[in-house]
Amino acid sequence: MLVPRNNSKRQGGVALITVILLVALMTAIVSRLSLLSGIWMRQVENSSAMVQAGQATRAAQLWISDILENDKNNFDGQTDVWAQPVIPVPIAWGEMFGWIEDMQSRFNVNNLVDKNGKVVFAEVIRFEYLLETLGLDSAISGAVV
């Protein structure tokens, strides 16, 4: 004689495992979407910061060009307005500060020799005069050349 089995317990176990697997799958999907959303938000914040930094840079360039255009005296020196350090200016994420340097007032030691490697004596004499003015030994010029 055959006794019928109770399949309802077995079906309930399969349904429970299916529900647990679906919950795990949904949790993984939500976690992945949350991670991607966080990464996307950080990328948007970085893009915004880059735009703001670019605007601050352009503003500084306009400010510097205005300072240089208003320099009407006949000489350039450390007493000029452009030679003074800029007072730090607060901006949204920090402060902006800087200074302007006159790169033309520097002596280019590459001018001591020409393109062919020959010594340019006029430049050597000028360099020796600069060394003497600074209180240094002019014999240094030979080693530099």
Side-chain angles (χ1 to χ4, degrees):
M1 175 173 205
L2 292 171
V3 177
R5 291 187 179 187
N6 187 359
N7 286 338
S8 66
K9 274 188 170 181
R10 206 167 147 216
Q11 288 176 355
V14 171
L16 180 62
I17 290 174
T18 304
V19 169
I20 290 172
L21 287 175
L22 284 174
V23 168
L25 180 65
M26 294 301 287
T27 303
I29 291 171
V30 168
S31 296
R32 179 68 178 173
L33 289 175
S34 177
L35 174 69
L36 292 176
S37 175
I39 291 171
W40 179 77
M41 288 297 289
R42 188 64 184 151
Q43 288 174 339
V44 169
E45 289 172 3
N46 288 342
S47 295
S48 175
M50 288 295 292
V51 167
Q52 288 177 349
Q55 289 174 342
T57 302
R58 283 189 292 281
Q61 289 172 344
L62 289 172
W63 189 12
I64 290 168
S65 66
D66 188 47
I67 290 171
L68 293 175
E69 284 178 13
N70 289 328
D71 183 30
K72 302 293 184 196
N73 57 8
N74 295 330
F75 65 93
D76 288 330
Q78 295 300 319
T79 58
D80 282 348
V81 174
W82 60 264
Q84 306 306 313
V86 177
I87 298 169
V89 177
I91 52 179
W93 63 92
E95 63 183 18
M96 183 174 52
F97 62 94
W99 58 93
I100 303 171
E101 283 188 41
D102 181 13
M103 301 304 280
Q104 294 295 322
S105 66
R106 297 180 180 201
F107 187 83
N108 187 353
V109 293
N110 293 322
N111 291 338
L112 295 174
V113 292
D114 64 9
K115 293 178 184 177
N116 300 322
K118 293 183 181 180
V119 176
V120 180
F121 291 105
E123 292 294 326
V124 172
I125 292 170
R126 185 177 296 151
F127 184 55
E128 288 174 351
Y129 177 73
L130 174 64
L131 292 172
E132 289 174 8
T133 303
L134 295 173
L136 299 171
D137 186 11
S138 63
I140 297 173
S141 65
V144 174
V145 170

